[in-house]
Amino acid sequence: MKTSLIWGFLLVLVIHVSAQNWKASWITAQNVQNVPNTWICFRKTVTVDSVPGQALTQIATDTKYWLWINEKLVIFEGGLKRGPNPLDTYYDEVDIAPYLQKGNNTVAVLVWYMGKDGFSHVSSGKAGLLFQCITPNFEIVTNQSWKSSIHQAFGTSGGVQPNFRLSESSISFNAQKDLGGWQSSTFKGNWNNAFEYGLPPVYPWNNLVLRPIPQWKNSGLKSYGNLSKFPIVSSEDTIVGHLPSNIHVTPYLKIDAPEGLTIDIRTDNFNGGSEPNVRAEYTTKKGIQEFECFGWMNGQKVIYSIPKGVRILDLKYRETGYDTDFSGSFSCSDEFYNRLWKKALRTLYVTMRDNYMDCPDRERAQWWGDEVVEGGEAFYALCPKSHKLFRKGIYELIGWQKKDGSLFSPIPAGNWNQELPSQMLASIGYLGFWNYYMHTDDKQTIADNYPGVKRYLDIWKFKDDGTLVYRQGGWPWGDWGTEVDIELIENAWYQLALMGAKNMAHLLEKTEDEAVYVRQMDRFKEAFNKSFWNGKEYRHYNYKGKTDDRAQALAVLAGLADKDKYPAIFELFKTQEYASPYMEKYIMEALFQMGYEDYALNRTKSRFNEMVNHPDYTTLFEGWGIGSKGFGGGTWNHAWSGGVLTVLMQYVCGIAPVEPGYSKFQVMPQPGSLKHASASVLSVKGWIKTSFSNQASGFRLSLSVPSATTSIAGIPASNVNQILLNGRTIWKNGAFVENKNVINGFSKGKFICFEIGKGDWNFESFRMQ
């Protein structure tokens, strides 16, 4: 462990250092050298007199493990990359009762010690395993009585290695050294007893924190869509298996071959983002053999390079990924936005695993600017199990806070510690932590992490004019692309951070803090406009480039720009297009907030056209194109480009929580030029389903409201002279008509609004012709 990574993280040990009574010891193999990419096998035979209804088992490793009990696979790639803070380690909890039998039981664990720091992992420096199952009738605990052996068949592939951001190595497997059948009860290996380190907390794994997210979804082995005719005799072929979309896979093969041949396995994303990523090599033994590469890789195609003379009996893949359901849906009259939504969903899912990632190939890193966008999408597109990944990220961000109060990402990380101030402000603020709370009603997470938020905001300084002293951090990054008014962007993100902090303080009844934030926001808005508004646009006085469209959008979203400035900002958006796909989401959102929904849809279609209509990719790009058109290496599966999904759900279909956890929510569609659209969201309160039809003669809105909540349904007010609810008049010629199903009626901006309770509702408005 690098001493520079041992910071003050005492604020958030709440997630939650285990209260377990540990009887198991950390163990490893005798004479292990702790070199990167070490694989170790552990075995234990135990006697069970009677199988309990439940046998909760705690398992910790550095870094990953595969568990078999009685030769049945129980866990495929368990464990999480380290760690919840710079020192500690996650552990899993698994019920093994369904796999136990009366009498002798064989427990077998394969541990993969990555052994390298990366942008999503900090190595402990030592390979280890901890396994504890305590029941009233028996105990299974790791100690020196376990047998262990380094698995010599595993190694590191030769040639080009994965780039420095990845803690994973490219795996090689020499089948001639395989420990065939080592998971079985009949295996007779001359293995040594394990080396015992001691009971937790013990260095270098320290305190153990319960895994806060589910085990991976596992498809089992599946056939490639384009490969069905086996056997095939290779003539030194490259065989390509087509996947259904860009997904996480562990490739599999079954072959009949002579010994000593090498098969290369990689995906079409091996050089994704212009950097080498992971691949695999398999060296054959003689005869029929099977191999599955346990290190996941992603792409749309798996490419096997197989030497001449090998008889290919089968090629398959296993998809694994974060365990959540694709519950949300969206469709509309413009097929472009339907394709964009689906590609955004695919991009979101392929960038979820141990943490939210910017991309699953080049970095696998929890950049928090990306996570703010991803988390927002997940609330609409995925089921509530996805919320746990955002929650994990919140605790990690504050858990890695430095002694000086500064924050940085990606975290967890062993070879990165640089602050990106704009991303940190985005993370802790209104669109980050507070958005999480509004969709989940998880007050405890806010309470646990608010002290870190306040501590970070307290380190920011002000100039005499009331605006921010520029905080460069470790990387003065505001966005990819050109014409980045970084100081102006930073000021706008700061106001959004204050908005979130003020709301958190109010929630937690920290009245003094709330009052401070309110005063700061008022003063800051006045200073921002006095210093940066020149009558037609916002510009920082130190900035000499062309006017930055991103900063204008953030000023709108932060409430810094009043409505009288909207027309000028709108004119600027017509000519300035400098934002990356990451920041374009905020421009689209600002246009909707200002009421320019037609232009928002048109601009988005123009800017995203190439990647949405590209026939070769199921995901969205890092930049506006690939290759020379890309940014930062130009991955073609980049999380931040999917933010339009959120805007389509939140603004086009109008679905948003009004009170935390959807205790009250609104459906206030802004259809623009769209003739119809429909959406469904599985909220923490249940299913919300809505659709609208937008015609010259009137507007129809259908809405399903779940129990334990109410909804504000907004009908666009333009030229309306009558509104019906389930066939009965509730508004006519400017007046509300009493109806027992309407809790409250009121006007809000461009909408006529009705608050309704549980049920299925159909609104119909008629327009004056």
Side-chain angles (χ1 to χ4, degrees):
M1 172 70 66
K2 297 177 177 65
T3 56
S4 63
L5 292 179
I6 304 176
W7 294 305
F9 53 88
L10 298 178
L11 288 172
V12 219
L13 285 180
V14 187
I15 77 153
H16 289 49
V17 173
S18 167
Q20 288 287 339
N21 179 22
W22 294 107
K23 295 185 178 181
S25 292
W26 279 94
I27 61 173
T28 193
Q30 296 283 351
N31 302 316
V32 67
Q33 298 301 304
N34 294 309
V35 297
N37 200 29
T38 295
W39 296 71
I40 306 175
C41 304
F42 296 91
R43 285 174 51 89
K44 179 69 175 177
T45 300
V46 296
T47 301
V48 174
D49 293 331
S50 63
V51 177
Q54 185 181 61
L56 289 181
T57 302
Q58 296 77 42
I59 307 170
T61 60
D62 187 347
T63 313
K64 297 286 185 174
Y65 71 91
W66 286 255
L67 169 65
W68 294 263
I69 295 178
N70 299 322
E71 302 180 43
K72 294 180 180 178
L73 181 64
V74 180
I75 296 292
F76 187 95
E77 196 206 297
L80 293 174
K81 295 178 179 179
R82 297 181 74 245
N85 52 60
L87 295 179
D88 296 334
T89 303
Y90 288 111
Y91 74 92
D92 292 356
E93 190 163 74
V94 181
D95 181 12
I96 66 170
Y99 304 92
L100 297 174
Q101 62 191 20
K102 186 176 180 179
N104 287 339
N105 292 261
T106 301
V107 179
V109 185
L110 175 65
V111 169
W112 180 18
Y113 171 65
M114 291 181 181
K116 293 192 299 178
D117 289 336
F119 275 24
S120 58
H121 175 63
V122 55
S123 178
S124 71
K126 291 184 179 180
L129 169 69
L130 182 139
F131 187 105
Q132 174 169 296
C133 179
I134 308 293
T135 74
N137 300 321
F138 64 87
E139 296 182 356
I140 310 173
V141 296
T142 42
N143 53 38
Q144 64 181 1
S145 71
W146 283 54
K147 298 295 184 180
S148 64
S149 175
I150 296 173
H151 201 317
Q152 299 292 350
F154 285 97
T156 301
S157 300
V160 176
Q161 298 300 306
N163 75 83
F164 71 97
R165 302 171 186 86
L166 297 177
S167 49
E168 297 87 344
S169 297
S170 287
I171 298 166
S172 69
F173 190 89
N174 187 340
Q176 298 168 70
K177 299 179 181 180
D178 193 10
L179 300 171
W182 67 271
Q183 302 98 329
S184 74
S185 60
T186 58
F187 179 74
K188 304 295 183 184
N190 186 25
W191 290 11
N192 293 323
N193 284 26
F195 176 83
E196 187 173 328
Y197 281 107
L199 301 174
V202 62
Y203 180 81
W205 305 285
N206 306 308
N207 292 306
L208 296 181
V209 175
L210 179 62
R211 178 188 183 119
I213 60 175
Q215 295 288 338
W216 308 142
K217 185 182 291 187
N218 185 336
S219 72
L221 291 174
K222 302 176 73 171
S223 298
Y224 295 101
N226 65 315
L227 300 177
S228 58
K229 295 181 179 179
F230 296 102
I232 302 170
V233 178
S234 175
S235 56
E236 204 153 12
D237 286 340
T238 296
I239 298 179
V240 179
H242 293 179
L243 299 167
S245 57
N246 190 339
I247 58 177
H248 300 176
V249 295
T250 51
Y252 162 90
L253 58 77
K254 183 177 182 180
I255 58 174
D256 187 356
E259 67 178 22
L261 301 179
T262 298
I263 297 172
D264 182 275
I265 308 171
R266 63 183 70 190
T267 71
D268 52 339
N269 276 49
F270 173 65
N271 284 305
S274 305
E275 298 272 12
N277 305 311
V278 295
R279 61 185 181 90
E281 288 179 356
Y282 177 76
T283 302
T284 61
K285 61 183 178 182
K286 184 178 180 180
I288 295 177
Q289 55 210 279
E290 298 176 73
F291 170 69
E292 181 178 0
C293 173
F294 282 168
W296 69 272
M297 51 189 81
N298 82 287
Q300 298 182 159
K301 299 174 183 177
V302 177
I303 303 163
Y304 299 82
S305 297
I306 302 179
K308 184 177 181 180
V310 173
R311 190 164 176 258
I312 305 166
L313 304 178
D314 206 356
L315 299 175
K316 293 184 177 182
Y317 69 93
R318 182 191 308 268
E319 179 185 3
T320 56
Y322 189 90
D323 188 8
T324 188
D325 299 324
F326 291 12
S327 55
S329 66
F330 173 83
S331 66
C332 71
S333 53
D334 190 328
E335 186 57 31
F336 173 85
Y337 288 103
N338 297 335
R339 286 193 298 272
L340 195 162
W341 198 95
K342 290 174 183 176
K343 285 195 173 187
L345 174 59
R346 268 293 158 198
T347 311
L348 170 64
Y349 188 65
V350 83
T351 53
M352 299 171 69
R353 203 173 179 97
D354 292 57
N355 46 261
Y356 276 118
M357 311 174 237
D358 59 334
C359 55
D361 37 26
R362 184 184 69 212
E363 299 185 34
R364 304 183 175 182
Q366 190 172 219
W367 293 100
W368 252 93
D370 300 63
E371 181 151 357
V372 169
V373 176
E374 290 168 293
E377 294 176 70
F379 294 130
Y380 288 108
L382 303 176
C383 79
K385 287 188 289 185
S386 67
H387 302 175
K388 295 179 180 180
L389 194 61
F390 201 146
R391 177 178 180 270
K392 175 178 181 283
I394 290 173
Y395 277 100
E396 286 177 344
L397 183 62
I398 302 302
W400 281 76
Q401 189 166 31
K402 297 183 183 181
K403 286 182 178 179
D404 65 3
S406 62
L407 298 170
F408 72 98
S409 71
I411 39 84
N415 57 1
W416 177 269
N417 65 0
Q418 300 301 300
E419 177 190 2
L420 278 71
S422 291
Q423 284 204 11
M424 296 303 93
L425 291 170
S427 307
I428 64 171
Y430 186 77
L431 299 176
F433 286 15
W434 187 251
N435 193 44
Y436 167 82
Y437 174 67
M438 288 299 294
H439 284 272
T440 65
D441 195 21
D442 178 5
K443 182 178 178 180
Q444 189 62 56
T445 293
I446 298 301
D448 290 345
N449 293 281
Y450 171 77
V453 172
K454 183 177 186 302
R455 191 163 167 241
Y456 182 62
L457 287 174
D458 285 347
I459 68 177
W460 286 77
K461 307 299 181 186
F462 297 91
K463 299 177 182 177
D464 292 340
D465 65 4
T467 63
L468 288 181
V469 172
Y470 176 51
R471 185 171 177 83
Q472 181 169 313
W475 184 10
W477 188 93
D479 188 21
W480 290 134
T482 61
E483 316 306 333
V484 181
D485 192 343
I486 183 64
E487 294 190 63
L488 187 59
I489 286 174
E490 201 169 88
N491 274 267
W493 277 124
Y494 181 79
Q495 183 78 341
L496 281 160
L498 288 179
M499 288 169 62
K502 179 205 70 170
N503 290 348
M504 291 181 225
H506 179 78
L507 170 69
L508 302 174
E509 299 180 352
K510 297 182 179 295
T511 54
E512 292 184 8
D513 289 356
E514 182 184 4
V516 169
Y517 292 136
V518 169
R519 289 195 298 271
Q520 283 184 322
M521 289 174 63
D522 290 343
R523 289 198 300 261
F524 191 76
K525 179 176 180 178
E526 182 180 356
F528 185 92
N529 281 280
K530 183 177 180 180
S531 297
F532 305 139
W533 180 254
N534 64 12
K536 60 179 181 178
E537 63 201 8
Y538 287 106
R539 293 177 62 88
H540 196 281
Y541 40 74
N542 291 333
Y543 175 67
K544 306 304 179 186
K546 296 178 181 178
T547 302
D548 184 355
D549 51 351
R550 313 162 185 85
Q552 317 303 311
L554 292 178
V556 172
L557 299 180
L560 294 165
D562 290 327
K563 290 184 178 181
D564 64 321
K565 297 180 175 61
Y566 287 0
I569 293 173
F570 176 50
E571 290 303 314
L572 185 142
F573 282 147
K574 292 179 180 179
T575 59
Q576 311 296 83
E577 293 186 352
Y578 303 118
S580 77
Y582 163 52
M583 292 298 290
E584 189 67 26
K585 181 260 184 185
Y586 300 115
I587 293 172
M588 187 184 190
E589 187 170 6
L591 283 163
F592 269 96
Q593 284 197 14
M594 292 189 296
Y596 302 115
E597 47 263 39
D598 279 345
Y599 184 74
L601 291 168
N602 292 337
R603 174 172 166 137
T604 299
K605 181 182 286 190
S606 172
R607 301 221 73 195
F608 281 85
N609 180 67
E610 180 175 343
M611 70 174 91
V612 170
N613 290 319
H614 202 300
D616 297 334
Y617 297 96
T618 59
T619 48
L620 301 173
F621 312 152
E622 182 174 11
W624 293 114
I626 55 177
S628 61
K629 295 181 180 180
F631 298 125
T635 79
W636 46 85
N637 36 219
H638 217 78
W640 68 19
S641 296
V644 173
L645 181 153
T646 302
V647 179
L648 293 173
M649 302 294 276
Q650 184 177 346
Y651 293 94
V652 171
C653 289
I655 305 168
V658 174
E659 295 179 358
Y662 286 84
S663 294
K664 181 183 292 185
F665 67 94
Q666 67 183 31
V667 176
M668 301 175 70
Q670 294 177 249
S673 58
L674 297 176
K675 297 303 180 185
H676 62 79
S678 63
S680 61
V681 176
L682 182 53
S683 74
V684 294
K685 286 291 194 294
W687 281 104
I688 298 168
K689 298 180 179 181
T690 184
S691 64
F692 69 75
S693 173
N694 182 31
Q695 306 297 330
S697 59
F699 187 86
R700 291 183 174 89
L701 175 67
S702 297
L703 173 60
S704 292
V705 180
S707 59
T709 185
T710 62
S711 178
I712 297 171
I715 306 301
S718 178
N719 294 322
V720 170
N721 60 10
Q722 186 178 13
I723 301 174
L724 308 182
L725 173 60
N726 290 357
R728 292 181 177 273
T729 298
I730 56 172
W731 187 93
K732 188 171 184 179
N733 297 327
F736 292 92
V737 178
E738 185 175 348
N739 184 291
K740 66 179 181 179
N741 294 315
V742 176
I743 300 169
N744 187 24
F746 56 93
S747 296
K748 182 179 180 181
K750 297 193 296 184
F751 294 92
I752 304 167
C753 299
F754 306 90
E755 185 175 352
I756 51 177
K758 176 187 175 182
D760 296 324
W761 309 104
N762 294 293
F763 294 85
E764 185 174 8
S765 71
F766 299 92
R767 291 173 175 146
M768 293 178 286
Q769 300 299 308

